[in-house]
Amino acid sequence: MVHEIVLQPPENGMLVKNLIPVAHEVFAARCELLSCVSRLVNYTAIYACSLCGEVHVGHPPHKIRTCDVKGSPSSKEHSWVKGGVEHVLPLVESFHLYDRIGRAVSHNEMLEVDRIPAIVELCVQAGFDIPEYPTRRRTFPVYCVAGRIIDFEKRFPKEMSLGADIEAHGFWYKKKKLNEDTNSMVMHSDNIQAIAVLGMKAWEKMCIGASKLMEKYPVQTCGYCPEVQVGPKGHRVRNCQAFKHQMRDGQHAWQKATINDLAPPVCVYHIRDQQATKPLVNELKRYYGMLPAVVELFAQAGAPVGKNYASMMREDVVIPEIDEEKWVV
């Protein structure tokens, strides 16, 4: 008996129609977020440790001795250097798939397939069209018969051009950084607090929208390293550099990803208003709260912080003086 398994969108190659506007909102929120962060880093100092990569938002940098990597000094003090947008919003890339339900990217194709930000790839697969990175939009669904995917639609429908500009991989002649699109959204306002409030809303909208998209459009991440692949299955590129990767021949161990894998929240120490002029000290580190770096950046610029970060900020904890800490048992 041959049984047919009825596939629902997006497993059958079709788009989830009610999530197409969400994909457009997430892409617009990401562009707005990058514009706000790139503007605020000119007013708020960003520091990054050149040894361990820890990030601190605000001046002066903290003096908490937590640098414990190979090559760090015996005092475990950080070696601070000037940071930028890439330290507040780390870029997580994914291979761009022309056919979302097609075969996975092989190891020999790792230099032929473009890599774009994972959030952008999620929006593209959910219905946002970018001319520089074409993707296949089916007009008829695929079928699963006896465990095999059957595609009755022609590879290139009649209304599509069969020119050389449509390929399944290797869009080198169309290579263009998506950051150029965000540069057009330059903010001319000098109200730093308004920009921070706008950026905070964009951050929340991007995270909430991406989480909603990930409920239908699966995203894979490696259980050993931060590699991410947007799609129903992970790629076959053997570039895992995690611990004991030689035993796996560099292959990834794919598992379901979360929003923190696509937009990693770089946690930094939270600076309260009364601590803005003096650095955080190592003796009182257990009293300090933490926040994602992008949220801390907006908070120092005057944006209100949501209640969901209250447990991380630890605003209810009274920070004693150093001489008072010595008497705490």
Side-chain angles (χ1 to χ4, degrees), residues 62-132:
H62 68 73
K63 296 184 178 180
I64 301 175
R65 298 189 292 268
T66 54
C67 187
D68 191 11
V69 295
K70 184 178 180 180
S72 61
S74 58
S75 61
K76 296 184 180 180
E77 294 183 355
H78 294 281
S79 301
W80 297 112
V81 295
K82 186 177 180 181
V85 180
E86 65 277 4
H87 297 98
V88 177
L89 288 176
L91 179 61
V92 178
E93 293 186 328
S94 171
F95 284 109
H96 171 60
L97 304 180
Y98 172 73
D99 190 358
R100 179 167 47 84
I101 61 175
R103 64 180 181 85
V105 179
S106 64
H107 184 75
N108 296 331
E109 296 174 336
M110 63 179 299
L111 298 179
E112 300 176 354
V113 182
D114 287 329
R115 290 179 65 87
I116 63 177
I119 289 284
V120 178
E121 175 65 15
L122 180 63
C123 296
V124 170
Q125 293 189 16
F128 184 81
D129 293 324
I130 300 179
E132 290 78 14

Side-chain angles (χ1 to χ4, degrees), residues 30 91-97 105-106 109-121 132-133 169-172 175-179 220 225-230 234-240 252 254:
R30 179 183 179 272
L91 179 61
V92 178
E93 293 186 328
S94 171
F95 284 109
H96 171 60
L97 304 180
V105 179
S106 64
E109 296 174 336
M110 63 179 299
L111 298 179
E112 300 176 354
V113 182
D114 287 329
R115 290 179 65 87
I116 63 177
I119 289 284
V120 178
E121 175 65 15
E132 290 78 14
Y133 298 98
H169 60 272
F171 313 114
W172 295 111
K175 188 66 177 177
K176 178 181 180 182
K177 294 295 183 181
L178 294 177
N179 293 335
Q220 313 297 325
C225 71
E227 181 72 11
V228 171
Q229 178 59 51
V230 181
H235 60 72
R236 297 197 298 268
V237 178
R238 301 186 298 272
N239 58 354
C240 184
H252 296 281
W254 297 110

